[in-house]
């Protein structure tokens, strides 16, 4: 069994956190990750209702397994109800990312909830530590969804020199060997999203899960095109990594023009409603080529843990 500060803090049997992917990571996926020994997270977007969040949190809570919630800092100013619903659900961990976590750490700590923040630069680390977060997530650009522009391993190594708090690695980790590599580098755990995109418990559609399984690792693009088309207020510094499709091939790099094209905007909004994956975003990371089967998140987590332990046990042989 792999033991780290993360497993001891949250009483886990493996140092794996399921990324809070809005529209994918609901209560069932969080429960399945936690049943595998990790910590499942529920993803929240600006469109999430407090009622839906409460319903989803009840799923892992009723199973009496640990769980967490992922909030976006830039959303909370206008949506205090999401913070209130989160605190009422009493998760073990709440991540407050993509903006300054400072205003939200105090209320969460007052409720007895640990706080994590995803960081993409050295400056982000200082801001998170000053805010009092408990866990720092070094999120590399290999990650799916909204992310920064630095690679996971260089960022992780730098973050580890900047804080003594538990650091979790995110971005591009989809095998036991990859998990072992970041643990050997000093990470207290891994934060995985893309390996869960084809899981049976996910909120995404069967068509989306099939598209993920068919994709190669070269089939992603880091772009603001989907956010611009939907008129979302995502800060410019966090583009989203998604599978390439007809829309991104047409509009990536033409965001200024896209901002004025009402028909293109309408097309993406409608595509999200109808699950038209040629036009709608399907966020996925660079490890997507390793996701080839649809199965339970519980099995994904258990297999990843077993393979990582095997890889770590093999390391001493390299010193012989």
């Amino acid at each position: 069994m792999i033991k780290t500060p993360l497993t001891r803090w949250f009483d886990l049997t493996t140092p794996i956190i399921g990324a809070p992917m809005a529209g994918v990571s609901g209560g069932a996926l969080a429960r399945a990750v936690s049943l595998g020994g990790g910590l499942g997270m529920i993803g929240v977007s600006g469109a999430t209702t407090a009622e839906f969040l409460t319903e989803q949190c009840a799923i892992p809570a009723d199973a009496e397994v640990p769980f967490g919630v992922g909030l976006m800092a830039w959303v909370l100013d206008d949506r205090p109800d999401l913070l209130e619903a989160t605190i009422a659900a009493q998760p073990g961990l709440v991540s407050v990312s993509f903006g300054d976590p400072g205003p939200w750490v105090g209320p969460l700590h007052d409720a007895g909830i640990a706080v994590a923040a995803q960081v993409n630069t050295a400056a982000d680390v200082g801001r998170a530590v000053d805010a009092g977060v408990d866990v720092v997530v070094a999120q590399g650009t290999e990650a799916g969804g909204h992310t920064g522009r630095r690679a996971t391993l260089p960022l992780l190594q730098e973050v580890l020199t900047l804080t003594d708090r538990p650091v979790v690695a995110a971005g591009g980790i989809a095998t036991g060997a990859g998990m072992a590599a970041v643990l050997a580098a000093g990470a207290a755990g891994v934060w995985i999203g893309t390996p869960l995109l084809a899981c049976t418990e996910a909120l995404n559609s069967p068509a989306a899960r099939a598209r993920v399984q068919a994709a190669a690792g070269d089939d992603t693009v880091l772009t603001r095109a989907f956010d611009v088309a939907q008129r979302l207020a995502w800060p410019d510094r966090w583009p989203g990594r998604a599978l390439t499709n007809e829309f991104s091939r047409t509009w990536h790099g033409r965001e200024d023009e896209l901002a004025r094209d009402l028909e293109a905007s309408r097309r993406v909004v409608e595509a999200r409603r109808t699950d038209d994956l040629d036009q709608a975003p399907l966020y996925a990371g660079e490890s997507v080529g390793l996701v080839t089967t649809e199965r339970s998140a519980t099995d994904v987590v258990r297999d990843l843990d077993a393979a990582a332990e095997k890889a770590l046990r093999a390391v001493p042989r390299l010193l012989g």
Side-chain angles (χ1 to χ4, degrees):
M1 187 179 297
I2 301 170
K3 290 291 187 180
T4 74
L6 191 74
T7 61
R8 290 188 285 270
W9 191 335
F10 297 102
D11 194 24
L12 310 176
T13 59
T14 182
I16 296 174
I17 297 176
M21 302 174 287
V24 178
S25 303
L29 187 64
R31 177 180 59 190
V33 169
S34 295
L35 287 173
L39 180 66
M41 300 277 284
I42 293 168
V44 178
S45 75
T48 302
T49 65
E51 292 76 17
F52 181 79
L53 175 56
T54 298
E55 292 168 1
Q56 296 304 306
C57 288
I59 297 172
D62 289 347
E64 299 183 343
V65 293
F67 72 98
V69 173
L71 302 173
M72 297 183 295
W74 66 270
V75 168
L76 290 177
D77 278 332
D78 295 326
R79 294 293 309 277
D81 58 317
L82 294 176
L83 182 69
E84 293 166 5
T86 296
I87 290 174
Q90 282 293 292
L93 178 69
V94 170
S95 66
V96 182
S97 304
F98 307 112
D100 182 6
W104 323 111
V105 173
L108 289 164
H109 279 173
D110 289 346
I113 299 170
V115 183
Q118 294 183 80
V119 301
N120 309 102
T121 66
D124 289 343
V125 181
R127 182 169 57 180
V129 171
D130 289 345
V133 304
D134 304 292
V135 177
V136 177
V137 183
Q139 186 206 38
T141 192
E142 299 95 323
H146 292 86
T147 186
R149 299 182 183 276
R150 293 196 56 190
T152 300
L153 189 56
L155 178 64
L156 171 64
Q157 293 171 90
E158 185 168 359
V159 173
L160 287 166
T161 70
L162 297 174
T163 180
D164 58 0
R165 295 174 198 191
V167 176
V168 175
I173 301 162
T175 66
M179 177 173 164
V182 296
L183 292 176
V190 297
W191 177 283
I192 62 168
T194 299
L196 304 176
L197 288 176
C199 288
T200 53
E201 301 89 355
L203 292 174
N204 56 0
S205 68
R209 296 195 289 274
R211 181 70 66 92
V212 166
Q213 293 171 70
D218 296 328
D219 295 340
T220 73
V221 60
L222 187 65
T223 184
R224 293 186 59 247
F226 294 111
D227 291 336
V228 171
Q230 296 173 88
R231 308 300 191 256
L232 298 178
W234 266 99
D236 291 356
R237 61 165 293 200
W238 290 292
R241 184 171 297 282
L243 295 184
T244 54
N245 63 7
E246 180 181 331
F247 188 87
S248 66
R249 284 189 289 269
T250 300
W251 288 106
H252 175 56
R254 299 170 59 199
E255 285 80 5
D256 289 344
E257 180 183 349
L258 177 58
R260 301 186 297 272
D261 193 311
L262 297 180
E263 172 57 25
S265 176
R266 184 205 63 76
R267 192 159 59 246
V268 172
V269 172
E270 178 66 11
R272 294 208 70 169
R273 188 184 69 80
T274 61
D275 204 29
D276 176 0
L277 299 177
D278 288 330
Q279 301 295 324
L282 201 172
Y283 291 111
E286 290 185 344
S287 65
V288 68
L290 296 165
V291 182
T292 57
T293 58
E294 182 171 332
R295 57 195 184 121
S296 171
T298 301
D299 293 334
V300 170
V301 170
R302 287 175 176 167
D303 290 351
L304 191 60
D305 175 67
E309 184 173 353
K310 181 179 179 181
L312 288 169
R313 292 185 184 280
V315 169
R317 292 203 293 270
L318 299 177
L319 302 176

